[in-house]
Amino acid sequence: MIIDCHGHYTTAPEALAKWRDRQIAAIGSPSHRPSPSELRISDDELRESIESNQLAKMRERGSDLTIFSPRASFMAHHIGGLEESSAWAAICNELIYRVTTLFPGEFIGAAMLPQSPGVDTRTCLDELNRCIEEYGFVGVNLNPDPSGGHWTSPPLSDSYWFPIYERMVELDIPAMVHVSTSCNDAFHTTGAHYLNADTTAFMQCLTADLFKDFPTLRFVIPHGGGAVPYHWGRFRGLAQALNKPLLDEHLLNNIFFDTCVYHQPGIDLLTRVIPVKNVLFASEMIGAVRGIDPETGFSFDDTKRYIEAADLSATERELILEGNARRVYPKLDTALKARGL
Amino acid sequence: MIIDCHGHYTTAPEALAKWRDRQIAAIGSPSHRPSPSELRISDDELRESIESNQLAKMRERGSDLTIFSPRASFMAHHIGGLEESSAWAAICNELIYRVTTLFPGEFIGAAMLPQSPGVDTRTCLDELNRCIEEYGFVGVNLNPDPSGGHWTSPPLSDSYWFPIYERMVELDIPAMVHVSTSCNDAFHTTGAHYLNADTTAFMQCLTADLFKDFPTLRFVIPHGGGAVPYHWGRFRGLAQALNKPLLDEHLLNNIFFDTCVYHQPGIDLLTRVIPVKNVLFASEMIGAVRGIDPETGFSFDDTKRYIEAADLSATERELILEGNARRVYPKLDTALKARGL
């Protein structure tokens, strides 16, 4: 079984974006806020938006199950305040839940949180509980920069985040550390902000001792870990200079990297440098890079091809494609076992 | 001849930092400002600070010439305003000039600019002229984020930067795009901010058409290009989606990467992915990562070893170690030829 741990609902019916536009237009005038019930998307529309897109590509490329969450760039936690984020997260998560009930074999959910810059993270817990306990989601996306490129929140090692971590540990779910759109002109969203955030999050963990306080807390760093594996020597050297343990011990019981690296040399480096147990198959399809690579004739984001071509044993490949995801996302494993898988 | 295009004066005598502390303490009370003449560092002190540090390591590792600039993390363009930055840049550049006169065979200068957030970049030109025309420097460091991690400046493609580019083109010098210390708690300076800035700068160029306006403008992106080579497929795909030409044509006549990547797999990826003509040898020694790699027994930042072990022909290796630097820094080439080298 091939599990893609990183998919977003980038192809939701347009009614969703229109509802969001109305919500944004009503910021500051509560009486104009659209109610969640005004968003009407039929099961047929949902089915169509998935079948002709993500599901078609999963079948074509040969992956079986996607851990599916709301569109990352649409989270936009910097817009409005807690009220807006709460309503928006609830709507987006519910849509994901509906997709998982329409395609229970192919999609399982990961939650978006109703984060808002500067707001107590306890305000995220009700939505998180609902997603995990009622919707059967198996993970959560955590935005380390809800300001959208201004980086006004404390580092991930700060107690600001602990309420979320405590609940994650209780629920035994990992977080994918994933920012949303950049509203800072300096940062292109998918070409700079996403990768910078991955590197930043890793370094925030490296300089701290977060995993001493939360030994079972688990982060998946997407986009192949940003710049981290390419600069693994730099990070090993910085850890050493800071008198931290070796990275294997200091971070690699808790931090994992996905394979959203869109060319063979990048995947070769990732699998050469990072222990196999820390690498989880993912494509972020349909996402930032949707074209065909003229050098290969295949989609840039068809990352399974790179894993297949990498210098890995069959056992190692199986861990990356399935085993690691089942270990890092125990609720996924439980759900699959309940289905006899 | 082996040319290291990326060295900073990280080992300057303590009097320099003390003068800076006094300057910072006097912000807001001009009458307390220290005068540049109050900084007294003898030639013997300069010699000692270089001979026992950078020069000792150059001899030990076998590099011949370093393009040497003021300490990057000390530029701190966010501190004070134009007055402070101007006095500080002048002092730092003059020290570099003195080092190059004491060790004319081993060091040649690159300038620090008196940048200040939001200030017209024309204010940098006098110092730039002095460094190139009077001091014989061959390049300049350009900070794309003088705010120190808040990224309040326009992207590098914005006309805000054009006065500097126009002068660079006239002088025929490249800029190394290098940030300074981060004063944003989210970003560790050398573990996140530096690498993020490299990625950000590259993407700012990718989305724009800067090099159509400035076809001979040249940027060296340090630290192996941040996350860029590792995600080369992503960047190729993003350029394609934005209807830009292939990266070879769109950016690689103008953008170059140094080899400050502190482990063999990183250098192997860099030299596999990026055309050899775009890779310049550098170590940033003595810099961010000063320890011995326990996996190899050699210094993390002894990058020449990685170049020597990489799968390169003798001609390719010579380009990376010398030829490319002479081409990208024509004033360096002229200076060397004047010495019969």
Side-chain angles (χ1 to χ4, degrees), chain B residues 16 24 38 88 96 124 132-133 160 216 221 264 320 336:
Chain B
L16 182 66
I24 294 170
E38 290 174 65
W88 181 230
I96 296 295
C124 292
I132 306 300
E133 291 169 354
Y160 172 74
T216 61
I221 312 230
Q264 189 68 47
I320 292 174
L336 291 173

Side-chain angles (χ1 to χ4, degrees), chain A residues 211-212 244-254:
Chain A
F211 303 120
K212 281 192 182 157
K244 299 295 181 188
L246 292 177
L247 292 182
D248 276 8
E249 180 193 335
H250 183 45
L251 298 178
L252 292 188
N253 294 312
N254 306 86

Side-chain angles (χ1 to χ4, degrees), chain B residues 287-309:
Chain B
V289 181
R290 306 183 182 195
I292 305 289
D293 185 344
E295 295 184 7
T296 66
F298 297 106
S299 296
F300 283 106
D301 64 4
D302 187 357
T303 53
K304 184 162 149 276
R305 289 180 181 277
Y306 312 135
I307 306 293
E308 281 163 357

Side-chain angles (χ1 to χ4, degrees), chain A residues 25-270:
Chain A
I27 291 172
S29 28
S31 62
H32 292 91
R33 274 185 197 145
S35 99
S37 63
E38 289 173 66
L39 174 65
R40 288 191 201 88
I41 299 178
S42 69
D43 282 357
D44 280 348
E45 288 175 286
L46 288 183
R47 253 189 227 103
E48 160 62 19
S49 74
I50 294 287
E51 272 176 349
S52 60
N53 290 300
Q54 286 84 357
L55 194 55
K57 287 187 196 293
M58 286 165 67
R59 286 174 176 149
E60 181 190 314
R61 300 179 185 183
S63 72
D64 300 299
L65 176 70
T66 297
I67 300 178
F68 205 52
S69 61
R71 187 172 191 167
S73 63
F74 271 30
M75 297 191 298
H77 293 120
H78 62 280
I79 294 178
L82 177 61
E83 291 265 8
E84 282 79 10
S85 279
S86 295
W88 180 230
I91 276 182
C92 291
N93 285 326
E94 197 202 358
L95 275 188
I96 296 294
Y97 171 62
R98 288 176 61 199
V99 169
T100 67
T101 59
L102 293 169
F103 302 97
E106 291 84 4
F107 294 92
I108 198 159
M112 161 185 167
L113 292 175
Q115 294 177 242
S116 194
V119 173
D120 190 325
T121 56
R122 284 177 191 82
T123 57
C124 292
L125 300 182
D126 283 350
E127 184 65 24
L128 180 57
N129 288 342
R130 175 171 33 255
C131 287
I132 305 299
E133 292 169 353
E134 295 177 28
Y135 293 168
F137 289 7
V138 299
V140 61
N141 293 336
L142 181 67
N143 183 349
D145 173 31
S147 77
H150 295 291
W151 292 93
T152 55
S153 291
L156 290 174
S157 52
D158 190 273
S159 60
Y160 172 74
W161 303 98
F162 287 5
I164 293 175
Y165 300 161
E166 285 161 6
R167 191 58 52 86
M168 284 171 56
V169 166
E170 285 166 17
L171 295 167
D172 201 14
I173 57 164
M176 179 170 280
V177 180
H178 202 308
V179 287
S180 185
T181 197
S182 162
C183 57
N184 183 328
D185 282 347
F187 303 129
H188 184 275
T189 295
T190 56
H193 188 43
Y194 280 17
L195 303 176
N196 293 351
D198 303 334
T199 309
T200 300
F202 183 84
M203 195 62 198
Q204 289 178 353
C205 295
L206 189 152
T207 54
D209 294 301
L210 178 61
F211 303 120
K212 281 192 182 157
D213 290 331
F214 294 97
T216 62
L217 184 67
R218 296 182 301 283
F219 290 154
V220 178
I221 311 228
H223 323 107
V228 172
Y230 175 47
H231 286 282
W232 197 239
R234 187 180 193 87
F235 290 98
R236 290 196 289 108
L238 288 169
Q240 186 170 298
L242 293 165
N243 292 312
K244 299 295 181 188
L246 292 177
L247 292 182
D248 276 8
E249 180 193 335
H250 183 45
L251 298 178
L252 292 188
N253 294 312
N254 306 86
I255 288 183
F256 304 85
F257 301 97
D258 83 6
T259 65
C260 294
V261 180
Y262 295 153
H263 63 153
Q264 189 67 48
I267 292 291
D268 289 347
L269 176 124
L270 174 66

